[in-house]
Amino acid sequence: MWLTEPVTALKGIGKEAAATLGNLGVRTVEDLVMMFPYRHEDNRLKDLSETPHEERVTIEGRVESEPSVFFSGKNRSRLQIRLLAGRHLVKAVFFNQHYLRHRLAPGMTITVTGKWDRGRQVINVSSFKEGPKQAGEDFEPVYSLKGGMHQKTIRRYIRTALDAVAGDLPDPMPAELLERYRLPGIAEALEGMHFPRDSEHVKHARRRFVYEEFLGYQLKMQAIKKIRKEAGKGAEHHYDLEKLKAFIDSLPFELTGAQKRVVNELCAELKEPVRMNRLLQGDVGSGKTAVAAITLYATITAGAQGALMAPTEILAEQHAQTLADWLEPFGVRMALLSGSTKVKARRIILEKLAEGEIDLVIGTHALIQPDVVFKKLGLVITDEQHRFGVEQRRVLKEKGEDPDVLFMTATPIPRTLAITAFGEMDVSILDEMPAGRQPIETYWTKREALPAVLKRMGKELQQGRQAYVICPLIEESDKLDVQNAVDMYEQIRQYFGGRFNVGLMHGRLHPDDKEAVMREFSEGGLHVLVSTTVVEVGVNVPNASFMVISDAERFGLAQLHQLRGRVGRGAHKSYCVLLADPKTEIGKERMQSMTETNDGFRLAEKDLELRGPGDFFGKRQSGMPDFKVADPVHDYRALNTARLDAEQLIASEVFWNNPEYETLRTMIKQSGALSDERID
């Protein structure tokens, strides 16, 4: 039987069953055998004396009493029997299964699974079977089902499918890779996933499919990189090394080891005739702007233009100010282009850009307007790249003839996840903080401690500092969201009694009003800013030294760290107070982690561990694939192995020509990874 045949080709699956399977995304025989369980129940027999309270347990025993049935209300019942399991005489309770009294009799052997109440010596039965446990029943697959499909039914269908295709299963994995990692073949691995003999069988089957999924994904990513490098006729930027060294020496700080490493990576790539496509990620304050300035200046000394796009006007203005201070003494001609640039000034900037009389333009999405034309665009840098859509980034990139592209983000992404989510990009990481940057002291306290927190804030304000107070965004209710902030705003105003200016920013404000409030705060007109929206990443208010995050348990670790990074940007000691009453252990762990470290990468790894990869980024944003079996967090070693193998395979002639790799080559082509549309 062919794997591509519809499920109705299998014995026992009619049109109705096929429709139910179709709702689960199962239409072909291949879909059915590749529908993997999301977990395996451990049904191995356990000794009750070693089983912790409230743990799920499977026991085998002899019925020692007649069933007793108790009814309470309509259709609610409790049946109980005495069961001798080894040397333990326990009570087995079955809820709403009074009909079993006709099947259970003293002297018969049964196998039951359920939650163990150690104190009362009771097992609350969730499933049972007559007779002793059979071989092969130790690990029971559990599938994600809906629409009336039952676990036993799907297992029966899968058994039928595996028997039907036995001997006709082509293995997409080359024998050489299976042997290298001692992975089972496709037939043995499918048996291990659906009908495992023991824990080792499940383990090896899973190991095979984890590697296969990662390898398939990484082959697509590496193929995209290969095509880009072959097709992307990037310009060779032969920059002036002496000028570049003089510029670096002029900076008002010493570069960190990480900055030097990343600058060398970027400059080496500028000289290659291949277009750069790189992600630069670094923690808040790790010095990404300096790296961007050096790379832009290198491009400019090679006779090309540079562009830096930021998500907000304030960010663009702050970048422009910083870069002007550093670059204008070296003769770099700069311009700032944003939505609020006056018509006449804009026309002059556009003319100069087109004539090549501007070397570097910094701006917002105004840079991607159709009438913005460059004479020779050589490098495009997008700051906080996740804030722009793929289309916006593509438009800016296409304003030059294959310009080099650098994306920057201050959201630390664990290395393992960066490899997966941005597999088609090269990744550079700034994992070292500049000397002298003071860690932010972080405290976690209960909400009722707010008056004491405001008292401490007042001391900072009296010394001329400023403070942020962040309230979470409650997505279900705009009204509730605004009310939260308004209540906090009024409470703080009342507490300080007019001694300090308090500002309010929330989701219902017009973007221009938000910009005005943020500007007033950054210019020192407001002492305290209460905000419901996440304060713009990268906004630089060096005088802000105190932050309060209300309902901090509503945020993930990465968000909390990003918010905390708004303070500690100046010479003053800074503080962050988390007001939180987390109800879960994970929530408590999150708060504890924040008080223990200022390292964004460590927190990102912890966040990933607590939340999982999909929640960490949001799938749409990252391009993170939906793996059936693999988990980029827990299987990171396999992920790294697959990436290295994929790099070698894509670079080798054997992969592209040997029949053994035909299935993998076909998979890459069918995925659309090599199409023009996919390469952004």
Side-chain angles (χ1 to χ4, degrees), residues 643-667:
R643 181 178 64 91
L644 296 171
D645 289 345
E647 282 177 359
Q648 289 178 357
L649 286 170
I650 292 295
S652 72
E653 290 297 317
V654 174
F655 177 78
W656 296 103
N657 299 309
N658 192 317
E660 193 180 11
Y661 295 96
E662 177 61 36
T663 309
L664 290 178
R665 289 197 299 270
T666 303
M667 181 265 308

PDB file of all heavy atoms in Angstrom, residues 643-667:
ATOM      1  N   ARG A 643      22.380  21.080  12.941  1.00  0.00           N
ATOM      2  CA  ARG A 643      22.828  22.291  12.231  1.00  0.00           C
ATOM      3  C   ARG A 643      24.200  22.073  11.597  1.00  0.00           C
ATOM      4  O   ARG A 643      24.411  22.399  10.427  1.00  0.00           O
ATOM      5  CB  ARG A 643      22.886  23.474  13.195  1.00  0.00           C
ATOM      6  CG  ARG A 643      23.321  24.783  12.533  1.00  0.00           C
ATOM      7  CD  ARG A 643      23.306  25.931  13.525  1.00  0.00           C
ATOM      8  NE  ARG A 643      24.259  25.750  14.589  1.00  0.00           N
ATOM      9  CZ  ARG A 643      25.525  26.197  14.548  1.00  0.00           C
ATOM     10  NH1 ARG A 643      25.967  26.842  13.495  1.00  0.00           N
ATOM     11  NH2 ARG A 643      26.331  26.000  15.560  1.00  0.00           N
ATOM     12  N   LEU A 644      25.106  21.489  12.372  1.00  0.00           N
ATOM     13  CA  LEU A 644      26.459  21.241  11.848  1.00  0.00           C
ATOM     14  C   LEU A 644      26.418  20.249  10.693  1.00  0.00           C
ATOM     15  O   LEU A 644      27.096  20.428   9.675  1.00  0.00           O
ATOM     16  CB  LEU A 644      27.370  20.718  12.970  1.00  0.00           C
ATOM     17  CG  LEU A 644      27.626  21.709  14.121  1.00  0.00           C
ATOM     18  CD1 LEU A 644      28.360  21.023  15.272  1.00  0.00           C
ATOM     19  CD2 LEU A 644      28.432  22.910  13.629  1.00  0.00           C
ATOM     20  N   ASP A 645      25.589  19.200  10.841  1.00  0.00           N
ATOM     21  CA  ASP A 645      25.458  18.213   9.760  1.00  0.00           C
ATOM     22  C   ASP A 645      24.856  18.852   8.510  1.00  0.00           C
ATOM     23  O   ASP A 645      25.301  18.583   7.384  1.00  0.00           O
ATOM     24  CB  ASP A 645      24.578  17.037  10.211  1.00  0.00           C
ATOM     25  CG  ASP A 645      25.277  16.148  11.234  1.00  0.00           C
ATOM     26  OD1 ASP A 645      26.513  16.271  11.378  1.00  0.00           O
ATOM     27  OD2 ASP A 645      24.589  15.330  11.877  1.00  0.00           O
ATOM     28  N   ALA A 646      23.840  19.701   8.715  1.00  0.00           N
ATOM     29  CA  ALA A 646      23.186  20.354   7.575  1.00  0.00           C
ATOM     30  C   ALA A 646      24.169  21.262   6.839  1.00  0.00           C
ATOM     31  O   ALA A 646      24.186  21.296   5.600  1.00  0.00           O
ATOM     32  CB  ALA A 646      21.975  21.149   8.045  1.00  0.00           C
ATOM     33  N   GLU A 647      24.989  21.997   7.582  1.00  0.00           N
ATOM     34  CA  GLU A 647      25.991  22.873   6.955  1.00  0.00           C
ATOM     35  C   GLU A 647      26.935  22.063   6.067  1.00  0.00           C
ATOM     36  O   GLU A 647      27.235  22.442   4.934  1.00  0.00           O
ATOM     37  CB  GLU A 647      26.801  23.607   8.036  1.00  0.00           C
ATOM     38  CG  GLU A 647      26.070  24.790   8.657  1.00  0.00           C
ATOM     39  CD  GLU A 647      26.880  25.450   9.770  1.00  0.00           C
ATOM     40  OE1 GLU A 647      28.004  24.968  10.063  1.00  0.00           O
ATOM     41  OE2 GLU A 647      26.394  26.433  10.353  1.00  0.00           O
ATOM     42  N   GLN A 648      27.397  20.922   6.592  1.00  0.00           N
ATOM     43  CA  GLN A 648      28.319  20.071   5.832  1.00  0.00           C
ATOM     44  C   GLN A 648      27.649  19.474   4.601  1.00  0.00           C
ATOM     45  O   GLN A 648      28.220  19.446   3.514  1.00  0.00           O
ATOM     46  CB  GLN A 648      28.864  18.950   6.728  1.00  0.00           C
ATOM     47  CG  GLN A 648      29.850  19.440   7.783  1.00  0.00           C
ATOM     48  CD  GLN A 648      30.333  18.320   8.688  1.00  0.00           C
ATOM     49  OE1 GLN A 648      29.897  17.178   8.575  1.00  0.00           O
ATOM     50  NE2 GLN A 648      31.235  18.652   9.602  1.00  0.00           N
ATOM     51  N   LEU A 649      26.403  18.987   4.795  1.00  0.00           N
ATOM     52  CA  LEU A 649      25.701  18.348   3.680  1.00  0.00           C
ATOM     53  C   LEU A 649      25.436  19.334   2.544  1.00  0.00           C
ATOM     54  O   LEU A 649      25.690  19.042   1.367  1.00  0.00           O
ATOM     55  CB  LEU A 649      24.373  17.751   4.169  1.00  0.00           C
ATOM     56  CG  LEU A 649      24.481  16.464   4.997  1.00  0.00           C
ATOM     57  CD1 LEU A 649      23.129  16.114   5.611  1.00  0.00           C
ATOM     58  CD2 LEU A 649      24.978  15.297   4.135  1.00  0.00           C
ATOM     59  N   ILE A 650      24.906  20.519   2.890  1.00  0.00           N
ATOM     60  CA  ILE A 650      24.562  21.506   1.860  1.00  0.00           C
ATOM     61  C   ILE A 650      25.810  21.948   1.088  1.00  0.00           C
ATOM     62  O   ILE A 650      25.747  22.239  -0.111  1.00  0.00           O
ATOM     63  CB  ILE A 650      23.851  22.723   2.499  1.00  0.00           C
ATOM     64  CG1 ILE A 650      22.466  22.323   3.031  1.00  0.00           C
ATOM     65  CG2 ILE A 650      23.723  23.888   1.521  1.00  0.00           C
ATOM     66  CD1 ILE A 650      21.465  21.894   1.974  1.00  0.00           C
ATOM     67  N   ALA A 651      26.945  21.967   1.774  1.00  0.00           N
ATOM     68  CA  ALA A 651      28.196  22.400   1.119  1.00  0.00           C
ATOM     69  C   ALA A 651      28.844  21.295   0.294  1.00  0.00           C
ATOM     70  O   ALA A 651      29.773  21.555  -0.469  1.00  0.00           O
ATOM     71  CB  ALA A 651      29.183  22.889   2.185  1.00  0.00           C
ATOM     72  N   SER A 652      28.345  20.055   0.426  1.00  0.00           N
ATOM     73  CA  SER A 652      29.013  18.927  -0.252  1.00  0.00           C
ATOM     74  C   SER A 652      28.348  18.577  -1.580  1.00  0.00           C
ATOM     75  O   SER A 652      27.133  18.716  -1.738  1.00  0.00           O
ATOM     76  CB  SER A 652      29.014  17.696   0.656  1.00  0.00           C
ATOM     77  OG  SER A 652      27.703  17.156   0.747  1.00  0.00           O
ATOM     78  N   GLU A 653      29.143  18.109  -2.516  1.00  0.00           N
ATOM     79  CA  GLU A 653      28.631  17.647  -3.821  1.00  0.00           C
ATOM     80  C   GLU A 653      27.815  16.378  -3.639  1.00  0.00           C
ATOM     81  O   GLU A 653      26.850  16.129  -4.358  1.00  0.00           O
ATOM     82  CB  GLU A 653      29.801  17.392  -4.780  1.00  0.00           C
ATOM     83  CG  GLU A 653      30.510  18.654  -5.245  1.00  0.00           C
ATOM     84  CD  GLU A 653      29.575  19.564  -6.048  1.00  0.00           C
ATOM     85  OE1 GLU A 653      28.816  19.053  -6.891  1.00  0.00           O
ATOM     86  OE2 GLU A 653      29.595  20.785  -5.800  1.00  0.00           O
ATOM     87  N   VAL A 654      28.231  15.549  -2.671  1.00  0.00           N
ATOM     88  CA  VAL A 654      27.568  14.248  -2.445  1.00  0.00           C
ATOM     89  C   VAL A 654      26.081  14.456  -2.175  1.00  0.00           C
ATOM     90  O   VAL A 654      25.226  13.759  -2.728  1.00  0.00           O
ATOM     91  CB  VAL A 654      28.232  13.509  -1.254  1.00  0.00           C
ATOM     92  CG1 VAL A 654      27.456  12.236  -0.908  1.00  0.00           C
ATOM     93  CG2 VAL A 654      29.677  13.183  -1.571  1.00  0.00           C
ATOM     94  N   PHE A 655      25.754  15.441  -1.338  1.00  0.00           N
ATOM     95  CA  PHE A 655      24.357  15.661  -0.976  1.00  0.00           C
ATOM     96  C   PHE A 655      23.517  15.981  -2.212  1.00  0.00           C
ATOM     97  O   PHE A 655      22.390  15.507  -2.356  1.00  0.00           O
ATOM     98  CB  PHE A 655      24.245  16.804   0.033  1.00  0.00           C
ATOM     99  CG  PHE A 655      22.812  17.140   0.398  1.00  0.00           C
ATOM    100  CD1 PHE A 655      22.100  16.355   1.282  1.00  0.00           C
ATOM    101  CD2 PHE A 655      22.168  18.238  -0.169  1.00  0.00           C
ATOM    102  CE1 PHE A 655      20.786  16.658   1.609  1.00  0.00           C
ATOM    103  CE2 PHE A 655      20.859  18.547   0.142  1.00  0.00           C
ATOM    104  CZ  PHE A 655      20.162  17.743   1.041  1.00  0.00           C
ATOM    105  N   TRP A 656      24.042  16.800  -3.103  1.00  0.00           N
ATOM    106  CA  TRP A 656      23.264  17.257  -4.260  1.00  0.00           C
ATOM    107  C   TRP A 656      23.208  16.233  -5.387  1.00  0.00           C
ATOM    108  O   TRP A 656      22.380  16.352  -6.289  1.00  0.00           O
ATOM    109  CB  TRP A 656      23.810  18.583  -4.782  1.00  0.00           C
ATOM    110  CG  TRP A 656      23.655  19.692  -3.776  1.00  0.00           C
ATOM    111  CD1 TRP A 656      24.621  20.230  -2.980  1.00  0.00           C
ATOM    112  CD2 TRP A 656      22.440  20.369  -3.431  1.00  0.00           C
ATOM    113  NE1 TRP A 656      24.095  21.191  -2.160  1.00  0.00           N
ATOM    114  CE2 TRP A 656      22.752  21.309  -2.414  1.00  0.00           C
ATOM    115  CE3 TRP A 656      21.122  20.280  -3.867  1.00  0.00           C
ATOM    116  CZ2 TRP A 656      21.805  22.145  -1.843  1.00  0.00           C
ATOM    117  CZ3 TRP A 656      20.168  21.120  -3.290  1.00  0.00           C
ATOM    118  CH2 TRP A 656      20.509  22.034  -2.298  1.00  0.00           C
ATOM    119  N   ASN A 657      24.075  15.205  -5.335  1.00  0.00           N
ATOM    120  CA  ASN A 657      24.143  14.264  -6.466  1.00  0.00           C
ATOM    121  C   ASN A 657      23.878  12.804  -6.106  1.00  0.00           C
ATOM    122  O   ASN A 657      23.478  12.025  -6.973  1.00  0.00           O
ATOM    123  CB  ASN A 657      25.526  14.355  -7.139  1.00  0.00           C
ATOM    124  CG  ASN A 657      25.777  15.751  -7.697  1.00  0.00           C
ATOM    125  OD1 ASN A 657      24.948  16.288  -8.430  1.00  0.00           O
ATOM    126  ND2 ASN A 657      26.907  16.361  -7.339  1.00  0.00           N
ATOM    127  N   ASN A 658      24.110  12.408  -4.851  1.00  0.00           N
ATOM    128  CA  ASN A 658      23.972  11.004  -4.473  1.00  0.00           C
ATOM    129  C   ASN A 658      22.499  10.619  -4.317  1.00  0.00           C
ATOM    130  O   ASN A 658      21.746  11.304  -3.630  1.00  0.00           O
ATOM    131  CB  ASN A 658      24.717  10.769  -3.143  1.00  0.00           C
ATOM    132  CG  ASN A 658      24.860   9.299  -2.830  1.00  0.00           C
ATOM    133  OD1 ASN A 658      23.931   8.520  -2.989  1.00  0.00           O
ATOM    134  ND2 ASN A 658      26.048   8.914  -2.380  1.00  0.00           N
ATOM    135  N   PRO A 659      22.060   9.505  -4.967  1.00  0.00           N
ATOM    136  CA  PRO A 659      20.654   9.080  -4.873  1.00  0.00           C
ATOM    137  C   PRO A 659      20.190   8.839  -3.433  1.00  0.00           C
ATOM    138  O   PRO A 659      19.001   8.949  -3.124  1.00  0.00           O
ATOM    139  CB  PRO A 659      20.623   7.762  -5.661  1.00  0.00           C
ATOM    140  CG  PRO A 659      21.825   7.820  -6.550  1.00  0.00           C
ATOM    141  CD  PRO A 659      22.853   8.629  -5.835  1.00  0.00           C
ATOM    142  N   GLU A 660      21.125   8.512  -2.525  1.00  0.00           N
ATOM    143  CA  GLU A 660      20.773   8.233  -1.135  1.00  0.00           C
ATOM    144  C   GLU A 660      20.118   9.443  -0.456  1.00  0.00           C
ATOM    145  O   GLU A 660      19.341   9.301   0.475  1.00  0.00           O
ATOM    146  CB  GLU A 660      22.037   7.824  -0.363  1.00  0.00           C
ATOM    147  CG  GLU A 660      21.722   7.223   0.997  1.00  0.00           C
ATOM    148  CD  GLU A 660      22.968   6.802   1.773  1.00  0.00           C
ATOM    149  OE1 GLU A 660      24.090   7.154   1.351  1.00  0.00           O
ATOM    150  OE2 GLU A 660      22.802   6.140   2.795  1.00  0.00           O
ATOM    151  N   TYR A 661      20.426  10.652  -0.967  1.00  0.00           N
ATOM    152  CA  TYR A 661      19.901  11.876  -0.350  1.00  0.00           C
ATOM    153  C   TYR A 661      18.710  12.453  -1.124  1.00  0.00           C
ATOM    154  O   TYR A 661      18.280  13.572  -0.857  1.00  0.00           O
ATOM    155  CB  TYR A 661      21.008  12.928  -0.251  1.00  0.00           C
ATOM    156  CG  TYR A 661      22.126  12.525   0.680  1.00  0.00           C
ATOM    157  CD1 TYR A 661      23.289  11.927   0.180  1.00  0.00           C
ATOM    158  CD2 TYR A 661      22.025  12.725   2.052  1.00  0.00           C
ATOM    159  CE1 TYR A 661      24.315  11.538   1.029  1.00  0.00           C
ATOM    160  CE2 TYR A 661      23.043  12.348   2.913  1.00  0.00           C
ATOM    161  CZ  TYR A 661      24.184  11.749   2.397  1.00  0.00           C
ATOM    162  OH  TYR A 661      25.194  11.363   3.239  1.00  0.00           O
ATOM    163  N   GLU A 662      18.186  11.688  -2.070  1.00  0.00           N
ATOM    164  CA  GLU A 662      17.111  12.171  -2.930  1.00  0.00           C
ATOM    165  C   GLU A 662      15.892  12.632  -2.128  1.00  0.00           C
ATOM    166  O   GLU A 662      15.311  13.692  -2.398  1.00  0.00           O
ATOM    167  CB  GLU A 662      16.701  11.064  -3.914  1.00  0.00           C
ATOM    168  CG  GLU A 662      15.528  11.425  -4.832  1.00  0.00           C
ATOM    169  CD  GLU A 662      15.826  12.630  -5.725  1.00  0.00           C
ATOM    170  OE1 GLU A 662      16.987  12.781  -6.165  1.00  0.00           O
ATOM    171  OE2 GLU A 662      14.904  13.430  -5.963  1.00  0.00           O
ATOM    172  N   THR A 663      15.487  11.843  -1.119  1.00  0.00           N
ATOM    173  CA  THR A 663      14.291  12.199  -0.330  1.00  0.00           C
ATOM    174  C   THR A 663      14.489  13.526   0.395  1.00  0.00           C
ATOM    175  O   THR A 663      13.586  14.366   0.442  1.00  0.00           O
ATOM    176  CB  THR A 663      13.974  11.094   0.700  1.00  0.00           C
ATOM    177  OG1 THR A 663      13.949   9.839   0.032  1.00  0.00           O
ATOM    178  CG2 THR A 663      12.633  11.329   1.351  1.00  0.00           C
ATOM    179  N   LEU A 664      15.674  13.731   0.969  1.00  0.00           N
ATOM    180  CA  LEU A 664      15.943  14.986   1.676  1.00  0.00           C
ATOM    181  C   LEU A 664      15.979  16.164   0.697  1.00  0.00           C
ATOM    182  O   LEU A 664      15.484  17.247   1.005  1.00  0.00           O
ATOM    183  CB  LEU A 664      17.265  14.894   2.439  1.00  0.00           C
ATOM    184  CG  LEU A 664      17.278  13.956   3.661  1.00  0.00           C
ATOM    185  CD1 LEU A 664      18.666  13.925   4.290  1.00  0.00           C
ATOM    186  CD2 LEU A 664      16.249  14.373   4.699  1.00  0.00           C
ATOM    187  N   ARG A 665      16.548  15.938  -0.497  1.00  0.00           N
ATOM    188  CA  ARG A 665      16.584  17.020  -1.503  1.00  0.00           C
ATOM    189  C   ARG A 665      15.168  17.394  -1.931  1.00  0.00           C
ATOM    190  O   ARG A 665      14.828  18.572  -2.061  1.00  0.00           O
ATOM    191  CB  ARG A 665      17.402  16.578  -2.731  1.00  0.00           C
ATOM    192  CG  ARG A 665      18.884  16.479  -2.497  1.00  0.00           C
ATOM    193  CD  ARG A 665      19.647  16.459  -3.821  1.00  0.00           C
ATOM    194  NE  ARG A 665      19.311  15.338  -4.661  1.00  0.00           N
ATOM    195  CZ  ARG A 665      19.918  14.154  -4.644  1.00  0.00           C
ATOM    196  NH1 ARG A 665      20.904  13.935  -3.781  1.00  0.00           N
ATOM    197  NH2 ARG A 665      19.561  13.186  -5.458  1.00  0.00           N
ATOM    198  N   THR A 666      14.327  16.380  -2.130  1.00  0.00           N
ATOM    199  CA  THR A 666      12.938  16.621  -2.535  1.00  0.00           C
ATOM    200  C   THR A 666      12.189  17.396  -1.456  1.00  0.00           C
ATOM    201  O   THR A 666      11.419  18.318  -1.737  1.00  0.00           O
ATOM    202  CB  THR A 666      12.220  15.275  -2.795  1.00  0.00           C
ATOM    203  OG1 THR A 666      12.948  14.559  -3.793  1.00  0.00           O
ATOM    204  CG2 THR A 666      10.791  15.489  -3.266  1.00  0.00           C
ATOM    205  N   MET A 667      12.445  17.034  -0.190  1.00  0.00           N
ATOM    206  CA  MET A 667      11.790  17.714   0.935  1.00  0.00           C
ATOM    207  C   MET A 667      12.140  19.201   0.942  1.00  0.00           C
ATOM    208  O   MET A 667      11.280  20.051   1.155  1.00  0.00           O
ATOM    209  CB  MET A 667      12.223  17.036   2.236  1.00  0.00           C
ATOM    210  CG  MET A 667      11.611  17.603   3.493  1.00  0.00           C
ATOM    211  SD  MET A 667      12.651  18.820   4.307  1.00  0.00           S
ATOM    212  CE  MET A 667      14.222  18.024   4.471  1.00  0.00           C
TER     213      MET A 667
END
